[in-house]
Structure formats: C-alpha cells, structure tokens
Amino acid sequence: MHGKRLLCRMYAKHRAARYTKKQKLRNLWKGKKQIAAIGCLLIGAGVLYCRELPLLCFPERGYERMKNSAMLRVQNAEEEELLSIQYAGAPGTYLTVRHADGAIPVFLPPEKEAEPVSVRDILEERFGPLEQIAFGSFLSNYYIEDMSTKATEDMLNPILLAEYPLQMEQKEEPQILIFHTHASEGYLDSREGMTEDTVVGAGSLLAEILRKEYGYNVIHETTVFDRKADGSDDRNNAYSNALPVITAILDKYPSIEVVIDLHRDSGEARTSVLNGVNTAKVMLFNGLCRTKDGPITYYSNQNLTGNLAFSLHLQITGNERYPGLMHRIYLKSYRYNMHLKEKYLLVELGTHKNTVAEAKAAMRPFAETLAAVLSGK
C-alpha cells in the first residue's frame, strides 16, 4: 500500500507540473496577444493621426509631387477645372478648383490712402519702454493662448515685432491673394446654397474694396477646399487640399506678397458697433509650430516672425482706427499653411452666430486697416 500511495503522489506531482507548464505557456501567449493588440491600437492611432496630419501641415517630403498635381491655369480659368489632389498616401480626392474673377484684374490707381499707425508708439504709450515690458502683460493684452501651445518671450518679442518691415508698394501685378480653406462656412442667417452668404461673399467684398479704393491687384480664389466635388464634407483634409492649389498660384504670380485665408469662427457672436453699425469682430490667428511641451519637430515655419508681426500690426492698427474692430489674436500649436508667405493672415471673421450683414460690415474697416499697415513702416 505504501508503494501505491507513493506512486499516486508522484503521478499527482507530474500532473501538477504539466498543468503549471501549460498555464505558464497560456499566460505567455495571452501576454503576447495583449502586446500585439496594444501594438495594433498604436499603429491604428498613428495611421489615423497621419491621415489627419494634412489638416495641420503637410510634411516636406513628398510635397513636390502633391504640388505638381495642382496644375492651375489661373489666368484663363473661366471654366471650372477638376483636379485630383493626393495627400498622405490616401486615394485621390477630387475637388473643383475655380478662380473667382477669371482673368487677373487690371490695375486701378488708389482712390484713397490710409495713413500708417506707429505700433511702437502705441505700445510704449500703453506699457512704457518696450525694453522693460513684462511678457505676461504683453501676452494677455494682445493674445489668447490655446491650451495646446505655449508662446515664448523670444517668439513674441515686442521690439522685434513692432519694428518689423511690412510696407508693400503698389504694382500692376497681382499683390494680394484671398482664399478660403473652409469656404463652406456661413453665418446665422445664411441662405442655403447662396455663396454670397458665406465667407466667400465676404471675401469678394474685401477684394473689391482693396481693388477699387486702395489700388491693390487682388486675386480671389473661391475653391471650396472643405467639400469634395460630390458635395460631401471634407473638412479634415481642407488644409492639405488647399496647400498645392495656393502654392501653384504663388508660383504663377511671385509678385503676390499678402495671402489672406478668410474663415468664420464658432461660438458666441462677437460684435462691435462701429459708426452706428453692428459689425462682426475680426480675430487674427497664428500657428506657432509648437505644443506646450516644445517645438514640433516634423515641420517648421521660416516665416513665423513675419506672420506674428503682421497680425500684431493689424490688431493694433485696427483697434486704433476703429476701437473694438479687432479681437485678441488667437495662438495655436500647428502651422495652417502660414509658412507660404511672411504676410500671411488667417482671419476669423465673426462666428456662426453673427449675421451676414455684420460680417460684411467689417470688410471696409478691415480693408482700411490692411492698407494702413501696408502703406508705411
């Protein structure tokens, strides 16, 4: 009996050892599956992130191929042209590219002149000597900082920005380009299907005032970059759709110095009363190529200082000439195609709760502000 019990114990130990070994293998395989699942999730997140990356920027690599796909016949674009835009390795997205005015407008001599404003004098009147200005005070008075980014003192140096040269001589060649990354954006009382009730309508009015009253040769590009040719929404790719088209126009007309990307913001209505008229506030927007943790390494903006100087001069000049016209400048982390030119503006004209009339009422004082900044140092 003793030998039988011993044999049973040995067999039980053998079974226990085999079970433990199998259990370890099962746990190891389960761990590997978990690691594989986490890896798949990370890869999927990376793919999704890269898929939406063109909304914010397009990497330098592969950009020439994308740009070359946007062969625009701008000067003779009397008919709409269907282009295939390729980005981030995704299938071709078709959008209708059109030019608002056909042939480039003829040069018109200015009807009026807008006197420049000394930005340095205004800053010193408000803060004292610029060498002694507190960065926090300067930032809070003129900027809204998005939680995704963090502005630095060397980036927003008031002395450098106040004295940055922004003067532009008037020429017969195209000098200003107005377009709309989100051309489908409308207002509280916009009529469905009526282009003149969207930001494109406000852009047309701005272009007309700049041409007829201030003598600038303006191209207004009306392509709807946030919609596909079939009418479906494409907001996630609007910036990448716009980039090759706008680059092609700038390559065609190197005389263009000012680019205005005219948008409409969301949120509560932002309104001022100017000369007795309800007027949508103008908020300028700058991408800093920087998160709150530091610079974004996969792209840069060699024109960032020029972008920041241009928006600050417009903000200060606009409120000096028309108190309440300009909202504080919004700072966010990415680039938004603003690397294309020094004098590049991303403009938020009111919000979706402003009316069409309020938005269009802002175009004349904004045009005067722009002419004032471009006319002097």
Side-chain angles (χ1 to χ4, degrees), residues 137-153:
S137 181
F138 176 63
L139 181 68
S140 62
N141 272 274
Y142 292 106
Y143 298 95
I144 300 170
E145 198 174 37
D146 188 83
M147 63 185 299
S148 68
T149 194
K150 185 69 177 176
T152 61
E153 293 189 41

Side-chain angles (χ1 to χ4, degrees), residues 57-58 63 66 238-248 337 339-340:
C57 73
F58 191 86
Y63 172 64
M66 182 175 124
Y239 282 95
S240 62
N241 290 342
L243 180 57
V245 177
I246 301 310
T247 304
N337 295 337
H339 63 294
L340 294 176

